[in-house]
Amino acid sequence: MSGSRPPAPRGAEVSAAAPSGHSGTTATIAIYSVKGGVGKTTIAANLAWCSAELSGRSTLLWDLDAAGGSGFLYGLEPHRSRAAGEVFAREGHAEKLIRRTAFDGLDVLPADESIRTLDATLSALGKRKRLAKLAETLGQRYERIVLDCPPVMNELSAQVVRAADLIIVPLPPSPLSARALELVVREVADHAKRHPPILPVLSMLDMRRTLHKAAREENPAWPVIPYASAVEQCAVQQRPVGAIAPQSPSAQRFIGLWRAIERKLAER
């Protein structure tokens, strides 16, 4: 697995002229759920790492959640406050905000508090495919764009489903999860003419719990991300599981999920 980029310090900005290593095939992967607290950001951050480290793809992790969790998990803060929302209003502004991580081929577009008003910004712009257009432009440099989405149902979520080539839905083993999946399916049906595939993922699974075991038995084909200390350490060490504990069951689960994603994308 690759290491750091010697020419640029961790968290450095990426110049617009920086080489991307792009092979010409781009896909936008949305990690989306209408329910909060489902492990969405952890999944997004780790899948972005898998894309860059395992598949060798130039990858952008784009944080659309005002909490800014994806940037935090890589030890990054926004380049300057209240600028992330300007990406949608100003052409080319994204390039100035993208940050390099310590991993080859993996960059982050961090969020900040300005994202809180993004729904109003998108509504005011009146451009229903603004996010899709921005992703298309960024796709000239990145083979994989991973969207860490907020748990909302509004204009932003509508734009997410229009932009996505694949939607990953984290679902903790809970009676509310089935409803959350139904709402995502409805959101896609309502707003996407080209229906992107939806891949449910059982997240934070603890097989010691009866309810969790039942959920696994009911959905044996779904990928699983376990509830584990190795996953919790991502936030403590601000690194992905594969870099912290590459041989752990959790790391292997993320690898398995990423391979399932690549297979889905290959079917397009």
Side-chain angles (χ1 to χ4, degrees):
M1 295 184 183
S2 60
S4 60
R5 292 171 169 165
R10 187 183 187 201
E13 304 88 22
V14 179
S15 116
S20 66
H22 200 313
S23 68
T25 303
T26 300
T28 298
I29 304 157
I31 317 302
Y32 173 54
S33 174
V34 298
K35 189 176 183 297
V38 298
K40 170 182 58 60
T41 294
T42 299
I43 291 174
N46 278 278
L47 290 180
W49 181 87
C50 288
S51 173
E53 290 285 304
L54 303 181
S55 296
R57 298 188 181 278
S58 52
T59 303
L60 177 67
L61 175 58
W62 188 352
D63 197 345
L64 296 172
D65 193 330
S70 285
F72 175 82
L73 288 180
Y74 280 96
L76 302 175
E77 296 294 336
H79 181 54
R80 65 181 179 86
S81 63
R82 305 193 64 80
E86 296 176 15
V87 168
F88 292 84
R90 297 170 57 186
E91 293 285 349
H93 195 61
E95 299 285 354
K96 302 176 182 178
L97 303 179
I98 292 173
R99 314 291 298 281
R100 289 183 175 180
T101 71
F103 301 96
D104 289 335
L106 175 54
D107 299 332
V108 176
L109 180 50
D112 57 47
E113 290 186 0
S114 66
I115 295 292
R116 293 184 187 278
T117 62
L118 188 51
D119 181 53
T121 299
L122 290 170
S123 296
L125 285 171
K127 297 180 179 180
R128 299 176 69 250
K129 294 186 177 182
R130 181 59 171 160
L131 178 57
K133 181 63 176 177
L134 289 168
E136 181 182 347
T137 299
L138 289 166
Q140 295 173 16
R141 284 182 46 194
Y142 297 101
E143 294 172 279
R144 296 289 181 262
I145 298 173
V146 179
L147 304 178
D148 181 6
C149 307
V152 296
M153 293 183 69
N154 55 20
E155 178 59 25
L156 174 57
S157 62
Q159 296 230 1
V160 164
V161 301
R162 293 183 196 118
D165 295 296
L166 176 65
I167 298 175
I168 308 299
V169 186
L171 299 167
S174 159
L176 290 174
S177 291
R179 174 168 171 76
L181 179 58
E182 290 173 3
L183 290 172
V184 171
V185 171
R186 188 184 308 167
E187 184 82 343
V188 171
D190 288 346
H191 297 291
K193 291 183 179 179
R194 175 188 55 83
H195 195 311
I198 297 172
L199 180 60
V201 175
L202 279 175
S203 64
M204 301 187 291
L205 185 72
D206 185 347
M207 292 297 285
R208 296 170 298 181
R209 301 183 180 182
T210 302
L211 183 62
H212 289 215
K213 289 177 66 176
R216 181 58 175 155
E217 290 170 0
E218 290 173 8
N219 304 285
W222 289 3
V224 167
I225 300 300
Y227 177 81
S229 58
V231 178
E232 292 180 325
Q233 283 296 310
C234 290
V236 176
Q237 299 192 32
Q238 296 183 304
R239 292 190 298 160
V241 175
I244 297 170
Q247 302 304 318
S248 67
S250 298
Q252 297 307 307
R253 288 292 189 178
F254 278 115
I255 291 171
L257 174 55
W258 178 249
R259 287 174 176 163
I261 289 170
E262 290 280 46
R263 287 194 296 271
K264 281 281 187 183
L265 293 174
E267 296 170 359
R268 291 188 300 160

